[in-house]
């Protein structure tokens, strides 16, 4: 039998990555013969590790924290969505040896919200918390769904304003510090800060979410994150973490590499059962 095609995720830290499990389930489901491994790669080792990986036959690569900007820098060509946010989470090794870079985070989030959770973004007023790499990656795909107004709030207000300047031709966008919200409330609050990773919560006023609104935390953990708990305590009709986004962004990467879009619902169920059991 031929050797399986090799794929990997690089990041630091990477110990708790679910990506090998997700891609094994996609491969089983679609009959693709591949191996997918997680490698701990700090930023300073990225280029050398990438060279070794390509030399050993790697066909495609996912990059996560803190490597997405570096991955953007090494790509020979990037998709429009990756070019716009300056970050790549998926590299495709083409037959001619060149590297194509894409960013599947935004489409992963939008598919989870709209298709899996049944939350159409059109006309919704959205508060986006955080203006780091993930915030930049998801803003374009969110605006493409023609929401109402999107307000980007960040601990460091200047970073939110930079993001607003970068994207303001694509939709109704404003931004600033969390304290500048001035009594406004939103249909959907998306937490794209890294606060959940340390079990923290961005500073939020109690009345920021419209009654029956939606809360979505990009972070995910074995237990509900502080933000997911906040949403449930403040009347959200849906308050979930980013496990669905993780699976959806992986499905889009799988499609880029293998030409087939896997089914995701059973994979999301599998991960949810694993963490509740
Ligand atoms: P990043 O580039 O390091 O940005 C971190 C952001 O969080 C910045 O806006 C930062 O504000 C803010 N922040 C950090 N700690 C905070 C705190 N205690 N209170 C308020 N704001 C805080 O990280 P990233 O790549 O954007 O990732 C953000 C989150 O998204 C992480 O939890 C990551 O795991 C998650 N993510 C999930 C998926 C998925 O598939 N589900 C995909 C990508 C990312 P300052 O600018 O003020 O520092």
């Amino acid at each position: 039998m031929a050797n399986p095609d090799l794929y990997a995720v690089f990041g630091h830290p990477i110990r708790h990555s679910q990506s090998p499990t997700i891609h094994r389930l996609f491969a089983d489901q679609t009959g693709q013969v591949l191996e997918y491994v997680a490698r701990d790669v700090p930023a300073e080792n990225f280029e050398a590790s990438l060279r070794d990986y390509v030399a050993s036959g790697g066909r495609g690569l996912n990059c996560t924290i803190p490597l997405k900007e570096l991955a953007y820098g090494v790509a020979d060509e990037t998709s429009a969505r990756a070019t716009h946010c300056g970050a790549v989470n998926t590299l495709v090794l083409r037959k001619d040896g060149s590297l194509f870079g894409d960013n599947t985070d935004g489409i992963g989030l939008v598919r989870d919200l709209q298709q899996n959770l049944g939350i159409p973004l059109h006309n919704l007023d959205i508060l986006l918390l955080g203006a780091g790499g993930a915030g930049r990656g998801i803003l374009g795909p969110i605006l493409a769904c023609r929401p109402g107004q999107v307000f980007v709030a960040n601990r460091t207000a200047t970073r939110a304003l930079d993001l607003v300047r970068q994207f303001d031709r694509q939709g109704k966008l404003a931004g600033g510090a969390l304290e500048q919200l001035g009594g406004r409330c939103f249909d959907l609050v998306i937490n794209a800060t890294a606060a959940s990773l340390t079990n923290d919560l961005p500073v939020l006023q109690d009345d920021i979410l419209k009654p029956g609104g939606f809360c979505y935390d990009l972070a995910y953990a074995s237990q509900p994150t502080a933000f997911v708990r906040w949403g449930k305590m403040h009347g959200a009709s849906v308050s979930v973490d980013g496990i669905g986004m993780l699976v959806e962004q992986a499905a889009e990467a799988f499609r880029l590499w293998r030409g087939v879009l896997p089914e995701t619902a059973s994979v999301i169920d599998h991960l949810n059962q694993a963490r509740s059991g």
Side-chain angles (χ1 to χ4, degrees):
M1 206 168 77
N3 283 337
D5 291 338
L6 178 62
Y7 296 87
V9 57
F10 286 5
H12 180 73
I14 201 70
R15 208 169 48 248
H16 299 298
S17 176
Q18 302 275 7
S19 295
T21 304
I22 293 170
H23 283 280
R24 179 179 50 74
L25 293 169
F26 287 164
D28 290 350
Q29 179 204 119
T30 57
Q32 301 282 314
V33 182
L34 58 87
E35 185 188 343
Y36 186 107
V37 295
R39 293 198 180 151
D40 196 308
V41 177
E44 59 274 22
N45 295 350
F46 176 65
E47 292 204 15
S49 301
L50 178 63
R51 271 196 302 276
D52 289 350
Y53 175 68
V54 171
S56 67
R59 298 278 301 269
L61 183 66
N62 284 139
C63 293
T64 185
I65 291 176
L67 306 174
K68 291 181 188 177
E69 282 81 12
L70 292 174
Y72 179 78
V74 298
D76 298 294
E77 191 191 338
T78 50
S79 66
R81 57 194 179 195
T83 308
H84 207 84
C85 66
V88 156
N89 76 339
T90 304
L91 285 166
V92 182
L93 277 125
R94 290 167 165 159
K95 287 205 168 70
D96 64 3
S98 65
L99 284 170
F100 175 74
D102 199 354
N103 191 316
T104 66
D105 281 340
I107 191 145
L109 171 71
V110 167
R111 282 188 188 150
D112 194 37
L113 282 166
Q114 299 204 135
Q115 295 173 15
N116 301 339
L117 299 167
I119 302 171
L121 300 185
H122 183 51
N123 280 339
L124 287 195
D125 287 336
I126 299 176
L127 172 60
L128 173 60
L129 303 168
R136 222 168 53 232
I138 63 178
L139 191 51
I142 288 173
L143 291 170
C145 298
R146 294 183 294 119
Q149 185 172 77
V150 178
F151 191 98
V152 183
N154 196 43
R155 187 174 59 180
T156 311
T158 49
R159 290 185 83 190
L161 293 172
D162 286 347
L163 206 54
V164 169
R165 264 190 295 277
Q166 191 185 340
F167 284 88
D168 67 356
R169 284 203 212 110
Q170 296 184 32
K172 270 170 64 185
L173 198 54
L178 271 168
E179 301 76 40
Q180 289 174 318
L181 285 169
R184 255 175 288 186
C185 58
F186 298 87
D187 302 295
L188 168 64
V189 183
I190 298 173
N191 182 21
T193 75
S196 295
L197 300 179
T198 48
N199 218 13
D200 270 335
L201 194 62
V203 182
L204 291 172
Q205 284 158 19
D206 281 342
D207 54 0
I208 214 141
L209 181 70
K210 289 185 192 168
F214 313 108
C215 286
Y216 193 100
D217 197 347
L218 262 56
Y220 46 87
S222 52
Q223 301 295 319
T225 65
F227 179 73
V228 168
R229 293 198 306 273
W230 182 92
K232 287 182 175 159
M233 282 186 316
H234 288 80
S237 58
V238 174
S239 187
V240 294
D241 72 11
I243 203 84
M245 171 181 171
L246 179 75
V247 173
E248 293 295 344
Q249 63 78 29
E252 183 64 8
F254 193 92
R255 187 189 67 76
L256 287 166
W257 293 330
R258 309 301 296 184
V260 49
L261 184 66
E263 174 276 319
T264 51
S266 64
V267 179
I268 295 171
D269 281 352
H270 177 96
L271 296 181
N272 279 330
Q273 275 167 26
R275 61 183 176 167
S276 68

